[in-house]
Amino acid sequence: MKVQQPPTRSSSRSVGLRVGLPILLLLQVTGRVPAQGTVLWQAGGAGFDSFGASLANLGDVDADGVPDFVIGAPQAATLGVNAGSARVVSGATGSALLTVIGAGPGDRFGASVAATGDLDGDGVADFIVGASEEGSPPGTGYARVLSGATGALLFVLPGSLPGEKFGWSTAGPGDLDADGIPDLLVGAPQAFLSGPGGAVAFSGANGSVLLNLSGAAVADWFGYALAAAGDADGDGVPDLLVGAPFADPPGILSGGRAYLLSGANGAPLLTLDGATSQERFGASVAATADLDGDAVTDLLVGAPRYPSGNGPGRARVFSVTSGASLFTLGGTLPNGGFGTSVGPAGDVNADGMDDVLVGGLEDFGFSAGGECRVFSGVGGVPLMSLVSSLSQFGAAVAGAGDLNADGYGDFLVGAPALPPPYYGAGWVRAFSFDGIPPGSTLYGSGCPGSGGITPEIRALGLPTSAVGSPAFGILLSRALGGTTAVLVVGFSFQAWGTIPLPLDLGPLGAPGCALFASADMLLPTSTGGSGPGSGTASVPLPIPPNSTLVGSIVHFQWYVADPGPLVVPGAMSQALQILTF
């Protein structure tokens, strides 16, 4: 049997790990811990583009089986300074599929972007792009509705009032008028002469006005943030979620509000209020999956200046049925901004429940830091935490679906500024829950199980496997769902005691399978999912802050009982050598 041998620093170091390994494995081998993610791809802007200021999941527009995305760059100098642009990128590679540019200098086309669904009947989802600063004087704004297949203009939605910032926010709420074509929602947060702000729902068939919505009081900035809310009231019509971050709840100056409104007639269904003055509750809004089991989507609202205008910020998830807060989500940066962006994440940790995304900016300017955190839809437990000291990281976030077919949901984060010499070029990165740490190696060969699918092994707690990483662990994907899996942990790839490796497991009832890692420890678990290729599992293995483990090597391999319930026959992943440093 031909074997791909992994690189090792020294055989003595691997053997010497026997002292430290039990500490590494047995401190915390149950429960979930926050991971740090792996970059799948990065797409970037140029000059002062602010690429990544807005982004949205379009679905699969190029028919490669992977979701694609539209990304706004409102300061791109396409037809003059700050004309702006919007780019559709491949979810598989991040490469550009098409680019649409603003109409003229100062438009800031790309200030907002949203998926609309298929408006022109070609089977491909279309999109809307806002340009909030167009006009003379600046700030009237417009929005363009564009083909997801070609970028061709379907129609233009013009602002009507100077300074209203029409196009600051956009959303695709679904079919409001029951004509079989999805409709459109555009925010103008300074509408009515810097008054309460507004939002307009338009027909996706011809751009005619369906609903005119307005804030309650002067300077509310109603329409600052928009989202589709699903059918919250059960009338068969999708509803609307609108943020007004400068509204004044009773006794709370500029605490902010979020409104759930009927998509049928604009009537208020639910009003959610900020808790402290100046917290800007409603600066970001999104609908989540049903997190409380009432069969209705729930709501996610950001308050990036909580508490009292100068705090770290937060986001909250609310039940649509009761209006009660389900859980509160906090960041780790001290200077405010957490909750600048929010969105549904999809099922990032493959536990069967959709999760949520929250982004935050520590401050403003090209040198601003930021973060993005993923929280479990079960109780709001942190799953992943990504922090950057530069680039306005976290200004925009979006769930991405499973871009790399590993069984775990992925997500996008926008960072529309970069440090000198790039300044505001901006970038967007696609992150995965798992990957292979630097210095580590996949080796050997797995053997397929049901459906001819070979299980895959990866690590979480990335980007490194450094000593002292509390988030490290080993993941299994593409396995048979609903069965037993065993994580083999070994000190060697050369021999298991006196038995040379690899070891052919055919005589033991697993034909075609081989053991590549010495079976010094066996950690059984169960796979989630159901059916061939849908099974996932994880074993958290926090790495202790013990300097004697630096340079240590550990070998891992998954064995999956397939078809079960007996241990054999089975399927196996490749082996994974992990180097700690």
Side-chain angles (χ1 to χ4, degrees):
M1 180 181 295
K2 184 177 180 181
V3 180
Q4 175 190 348
Q5 301 288 12
T8 59
R9 297 183 67 166
S10 71
S11 58
S12 62
R13 186 57 173 172
S14 183
V15 172
L17 183 59
R18 292 176 185 271
V19 175
L21 183 62
I23 299 175
L24 185 156
L25 292 175
L26 297 179
L27 280 179
Q28 298 179 30
V29 295
T30 59
R32 291 198 178 272
V33 289
Q36 289 183 285
T38 299
V39 176
L40 299 177
W41 50 258
Q42 176 174 316
F48 293 84
D49 285 1
S50 288
F51 183 82
S54 59
L55 56 91
N57 188 330
L58 287 185
D60 183 12
V61 301
D62 59 357
D64 65 351
V66 180
D68 304 306
F69 305 89
V70 58
I71 302 171
Q75 294 185 187
T78 50
L79 287 177
V81 176
N82 293 343
S85 69
R87 186 191 307 174
V88 176
V89 303
S90 163
T93 64
S95 58
L97 299 177
L98 59 89
T99 300
V100 184
I101 62 177
D107 284 5
R108 294 187 183 266
F109 181 79
S112 64
V113 296
T116 65
D118 182 13
L119 305 181
D120 56 4
D122 63 356
V124 178
D126 304 309
F127 61 101
I128 183 171
V129 181
S132 61
E133 300 300 324
E134 177 270 344
S136 182
T140 301
Y142 66 89
R144 284 196 217 165
V145 184
L146 302 154
S147 165
T150 66
L153 180 66
L154 300 181
F155 45 85
V156 177
L157 305 174
S160 58
L161 300 173
E164 70 175 334
K165 297 189 182 297
F166 183 87
W168 180 278
S169 55
T170 51
D175 184 7
L176 304 178
D177 56 1
D179 65 354
I181 299 174
D183 299 309
L184 312 162
L185 187 63
V186 182
Q190 292 195 50
F192 312 112
L193 300 178
S194 298
V200 184
F202 297 91
S203 165
N206 54 31
S208 61
V209 174
L210 300 178
L211 294 171
N212 270 303
L213 308 170
S214 176
V218 172
D220 278 4
W221 281 63
F222 178 93
Y224 188 95
L226 303 174
D231 183 10
D233 58 359
D235 65 354
V237 180
D239 300 310
L240 315 172
L241 184 59
V242 183
F246 293 95
D248 299 330
I252 304 175
L253 179 65
S254 295
R257 278 183 159 172
Y259 297 87
L260 178 64
L261 304 173
S262 165
N265 56 29
L269 302 175
L270 180 66
T271 299
L272 303 170
D273 288 342
T276 66
S277 65
Q278 308 292 336
E279 70 173 75
R280 298 184 190 174
F281 180 85
S284 58
V285 296
T288 71
D290 173 23
L291 304 183
D292 59 357
D294 62 359
V296 181
T297 57
D298 297 308
L299 308 178
L300 177 60
V301 183
R305 292 294 168 187
Y306 173 87
S308 303
N310 58 3
R314 68 179 185 178
R316 300 172 75 190
V317 177
F318 296 88
S319 166
V320 165
T321 302
S322 66
S325 176
L326 300 179
F327 38 84
T328 298
L329 312 173
T332 64
L333 300 178
N335 296 327
F338 193 73
T340 295
S341 58
V342 296
D347 189 1
V348 170
N349 59 344
D351 66 351
M353 176 68 79
D354 281 0
D355 306 308
V356 295
L357 287 164
V358 182
L361 304 182
E362 188 174 19
D363 203 344
F364 297 99
F366 292 133
S367 62
E371 69 179 321
C372 175
R373 305 191 83 190
V374 185
F375 297 89
S376 171
V378 182
V381 176
L383 298 176
M384 306 181 70
S385 184
L386 300 162
V387 177
S388 172
S389 61
L390 297 169
S391 309
Q392 295 184 355
F393 182 81
V397 296
D402 186 2
L403 300 181
N404 57 353
D406 64 356
Y408 295 82
D410 305 312
F411 61 97
L412 268 60
V413 182
L418 286 175
Y422 305 102
Y423 296 97
W427 48 260
V428 170
R429 285 178 179 165
F431 288 94
S432 171
F433 190 62
D434 62 333
I436 305 300
S440 299
T441 307
L442 281 171
Y443 66 97
S445 58
C447 56
S450 298
I453 302 170
T454 300
E456 294 185 357
I457 185 171
R458 295 290 189 272
L460 65 84
L462 306 176
T464 70
S465 52
V467 166
S469 296
F472 192 76
I474 302 296
L475 298 181
L476 169 69
S477 63
R478 295 179 60 79
L480 178 65
T483 189
T484 298
V486 178
L487 180 62
V488 177
V489 185
F491 312 127
S492 173
F493 69 97
Q494 297 171 322
W496 176 24
T498 60
I499 303 172
L501 295 177
L503 173 64
D504 182 3
L505 299 183
L508 300 178
C513 297
L515 179 68
F516 286 87
S518 57
D520 299 304
M521 296 185 69
L522 301 177
L523 301 177
T525 186
S526 298
T527 62
S530 176
S534 70
T536 58
S538 63
V539 176
L541 298 173
I543 305 177
N546 185 339
S547 60
T548 64
L549 296 177
V550 173
S552 300
I553 294 169
V554 192
H555 302 266
F556 301 94
Q557 189 175 13
W558 283 105
Y559 181 87
V560 180
D562 188 350
L566 300 178
V567 176
V568 291
M572 297 193 76
S573 70
Q574 288 183 277
L576 173 62
Q577 173 191 276
I578 296 292
L579 171 69
T580 61
F581 55 92

